[in-house]
Amino acid sequence: MLYSDEALHALLCKYVLSEAGEEERLWVEEWLQSNPEHPQLLCSLEKVLAEIPRREHTPNTELAWQRLSAKIPGQRKFKMWWMAAATLLLIAGGWWTMVREGRTQIFTGPLLAQLDDGSSIKLDSGTQLQVLPGFGKRQRLVKLKGKAVFNVTHGAVHPFIVRLGDQEVKVLGTQFMIDYRDHLRVHVNSGRVMVINGKDSVLLSTGMLLESVKGVFNTAAHVINADKKELVFSDTPLREVLQTIGVVYDKKITADSVLLQLPVTATFTGESAENVLAAIAYMTNTIVVQYSTGTVLRSMKNKI
Amino acid sequence: MLFLYPVTMFDRHTLETIFKEHHAQCLVFAVHYTGNEHDAEEVIQQVFLRLWEKRATIEISGVVRSYLFAAIRNTAISNWRKETVRREKENVAGTFRMADPVVQSPVWELERSYLQALAVLPERCREVFILSRQEQLKYSEIAEVMNISVKTVENQMGKALKIMHKELHEYTNSMQLL
């Protein structure tokens, strides 16, 4: 295949920045071996593409939030007598509540944990759930290790937060599954959740599946049931279909760029990755090509 | 995959979480378009205030950062246009361009050459290159932020790389850049 000078630079740029697809990477690797000057050129381009150092900023996020918060209507302005009444109420409420709230409740699966706010959590065998002190009163914070299906009540004052090591899932009223054994996996049956890991956050809605491996988020949509591998596509672009299959089956799958917008309508339940790919290849008039680094759907026109 | 955020779901806690999570990144990003931290902070305040006001109907794609960056870019450009109209009335018009990246290199000559090379790039080409190399955005994120196709990002990066390589040829051959 011949490339113009600019197209060659675009391709080498993708290669250096890990944006190239499987086919493109193979092409560049062949190109590198075809002439001893090519590796020198690539090395030279890599220097141009080195990250530009960032300007050091020292943002005062707390102050900025206070500024923003002051502009938002509906601020709670406590008057003195309200504060006094609240203080009295706290004293009158007595030490008993404080003692009760000061305990961490621990549930170990398999069981169905019913929490004070009405939420229920079905824990798998060996899964541990800690309900932190003050749950439902000061916050709705739990810690999880293992796998569980959550049914969280709506409309509470505090958001429901599931802490998973240094990551957390913030629930916006919903039913969802968390699998936090080898790596984090979240599937939303209904409603919305936000997943946060300190570097980024992702909002998941119904049918979305997230996998977090080494802090990198991968998301897929159109997943009705993650465990049963129930996938429903309706005029879905092939690009999204392959993204979903990649996350659900933990495989790296790409396709020729001209194919990525092809619409796919299909329903799969409990099928193997091979069967799903074979069906999609049939529907899109493509062939499945296996490489050592992943799978590529190729147009029949490119077969030869 | 797009979805709606009902009012009852998008509460102050959610806004505060998103703000505190992304404020630092947003500030660095916004400075590219405003040229200084003060104006950048104003743009961020505008974006989050609008996010709150429109929370009943606003649509956010999965990755929050891309949404915020796109909103910051659009707001900064919109502010600049308003400012330009105001200045034109006062006959002090200027031309919009992204703020130059500050390159903190011990090699002054190289730093100067790098900035000069960036200045040679066409406007959109330079924006794509800076978002990639300074903000470290993926092609798909740049496409989303600038509302262009990934293919256009690829082409602009190829064009930028070719020009930058030509402009910095003597340095890339002789030493480690930056």
Side-chain angles (χ1 to χ4, degrees):
Chain A
M1 191 184 296
L2 289 176
Y3 284 87
S4 72
D5 203 23
E6 214 160 76
L8 175 66
H9 279 79
L11 182 57
L12 295 177
C13 194
K14 286 177 76 180
Y15 180 81
V16 171
L17 301 178
S18 302
E19 295 272 1
E22 183 63 32
E23 194 182 354
E24 291 167 325
R25 289 203 318 110
L26 290 172
W27 190 93
V28 173
E29 276 153 20
E30 279 177 25
W31 175 84
L32 284 171
Q33 289 170 0
S34 65
N35 186 324
E37 289 181 4
H38 289 171
Q40 287 175 3
L41 172 60
L42 187 71
C43 182
S44 181
L45 295 177
E46 278 173 346
K47 291 173 185 172
V48 177
L49 289 169
E51 182 184 355
I52 307 171
R54 285 163 176 261
R55 183 201 295 244
E56 290 300 322
H57 294 280
T58 49
N60 190 334
T61 298
E62 194 53 49
L63 189 65
W65 166 248
Q66 284 170 15
R67 274 188 62 202
L68 180 68
S69 191
K71 293 175 194 167
I72 296 173
Q75 284 272 80
R76 292 174 202 153
K77 292 178 181 171
F78 290 102
K79 292 182 178 176
M80 285 302 289
W81 65 273
W82 271 116
M83 292 174 76
T87 308
L88 282 173
L89 195 66
L90 275 175
I91 294 166
W95 54 268
W96 185 85
T97 306
M98 292 172 71
V99 169
R100 187 171 176 269
E101 286 184 10
R103 290 185 311 216
T104 297
Q105 281 181 287
I106 298 178
F107 298 93
T108 304
L111 60 77
L112 181 70
Q114 296 282 2
L115 306 189
D116 288 349
D117 68 338
S119 299
S120 59
I121 303 164
K122 189 179 174 188
L123 305 177
D124 266 22
S125 179
T127 295
Q128 191 183 73
L129 179 82
Q130 289 183 39
V131 181
L132 299 191
F135 182 92
K137 306 289 191 302
R138 298 196 297 271
Q139 34 67 13
R140 291 200 293 166
L141 184 60
V142 299
K143 290 183 178 178
L144 179 80
K145 184 71 188 169
K147 185 179 176 186
V149 176
F150 289 72
N151 196 341
V152 173
T153 51
H154 294 222
V157 175
H158 305 291
F160 193 103
I161 295 172
V162 187
R163 197 160 280 169
L164 312 142
D166 59 354
Q167 305 179 92
E168 65 183 36
V169 175
K170 184 176 179 182
V171 185
L172 307 170
T174 189
Q175 191 180 58
F176 61 102
M177 178 275 291
I178 292 180
D179 187 350
Y180 184 52
R181 289 175 293 189
D182 300 332
H183 56 265
L184 175 61
R185 193 173 162 95
V186 180
H187 178 252
V188 181
N189 296 322
S190 68
R192 285 150 294 274
V193 302
M194 183 191 294
V195 185
I196 303 161
N197 73 354
K199 284 184 283 186
D200 206 351
S201 53
V202 173
L203 289 162
L204 303 177
S205 56
T206 302
M208 288 185 80
L209 174 69
L210 172 141
E211 281 206 330
S212 172
V213 182
K214 294 178 183 172
V216 176
F217 290 147
N218 279 318
T219 58
H222 316 288
V223 182
I224 304 302
N225 188 315
D227 284 342
K228 293 179 181 171
K229 293 184 170 50
E230 192 177 344
L231 315 175
V232 175
F233 304 109
S234 177
D235 278 337
T236 308
L238 183 62
R239 177 178 48 78
E240 278 186 41
V241 173
L242 297 183
Q243 168 76 11
T244 298
I245 297 169
V247 174
V248 171
Y249 292 95
D250 193 21
K251 284 183 177 295
K252 189 172 180 185
I253 309 166
T254 56
D256 290 345
S257 56
V258 292
L259 303 171
L260 293 174
Q261 293 305 320
L262 285 178
V264 174
T265 298
T267 300
F268 300 103
T269 304
E271 294 289 349
S272 66
E274 290 70 26
N275 284 351
V276 172
L277 280 174
I280 288 170
Y282 179 76
M283 281 183 266
T284 54
N285 199 26
T286 55
I287 53 170
V288 180
V289 183
Q290 297 288 350
Y291 292 102
S292 58
T293 50
T295 305
V296 181
L297 282 189
R298 303 201 59 186
S299 169
M300 293 290 254
K301 291 175 190 168
N302 296 336
K303 191 177 177 182
I304 300 171
Chain B
M1 168 61 68
L2 298 174
F3 53 88
L4 292 175
Y5 229 152
V7 180
T8 50
M9 299 302 172
F10 198 117
D11 56 9
R12 287 180 80 92
H13 295 289
T14 307
L15 185 76
E16 185 175 356
T17 303
I18 294 175
F19 185 88
K20 291 185 174 175
E21 178 87 11
H22 295 281
H23 177 258
Q25 277 184 309
C26 285
L27 187 64
V28 173
F29 181 81
V31 167
H32 287 307
Y33 291 93
T34 61
N36 66 73
E37 278 191 39
H38 179 265
D39 290 345
E41 189 62 59
E42 287 305 313
V43 169
I44 293 170
Q45 296 274 323
Q46 278 179 273
V47 165
F48 275 90
L49 199 55
R50 194 174 306 127
L51 181 63
W52 175 254
E53 287 165 355
K54 304 281 182 191
R55 64 194 183 282
T57 53
I58 212 155
E59 292 183 356
I60 303 178
S61 298
V63 178
V64 177
R65 187 176 71 160
S66 301
Y67 168 81
L68 292 175
F69 280 8
I72 286 168
R73 178 180 183 269
N74 294 338
T75 304
I77 291 173
S78 168
N79 287 354
W80 172 81
R81 283 185 181 140
K82 286 176 193 162
E83 181 66 10
T84 303
V85 170
R86 191 186 65 78
R87 286 187 179 200
E88 272 173 358
K89 287 179 183 170
E90 299 168 11
N91 295 324
V92 202
T95 52
F96 178 76
R97 52 169 295 172
M98 284 186 89
D100 289 328
V102 172
V103 183
Q104 293 164 336
S105 163
V107 190
W108 280 91
E109 189 62 19
L110 178 59
E111 177 182 329
R112 195 166 57 82
S113 298
Y114 201 92
L115 291 174
Q116 281 174 351
L118 275 175
V120 170
L121 297 178
E123 189 175 308
R124 187 155 74 156
C125 198
R126 181 171 59 240
E127 184 175 359
V128 169
F129 191 79
I130 289 174
L131 292 183
S132 169
R133 303 327 307 137
Q134 186 149 359
E135 281 305 314
Q136 295 285 294
L137 298 190
K138 295 176 191 164
Y139 281 12
S140 56
E141 289 178 296
I142 296 171
E144 202 172 338
V145 168
M146 293 182 67
N147 196 24
I148 55 179
S149 71
V150 174
K151 194 71 195 165
T152 303
V153 175
E154 289 175 12
N155 294 340
Q156 293 295 327
M157 281 298 287
K159 190 188 246 183
L161 181 60
K162 188 183 164 195
I163 297 170
M164 293 289 287
H165 186 237
K166 188 179 164 196
E167 294 291 320
L168 296 167
H169 189 64
E170 59 182 291
Y171 293 102
T172 53
N173 279 350
S174 60
M175 61 192 295
Q176 182 71 36
L177 187 66
L178 304 178

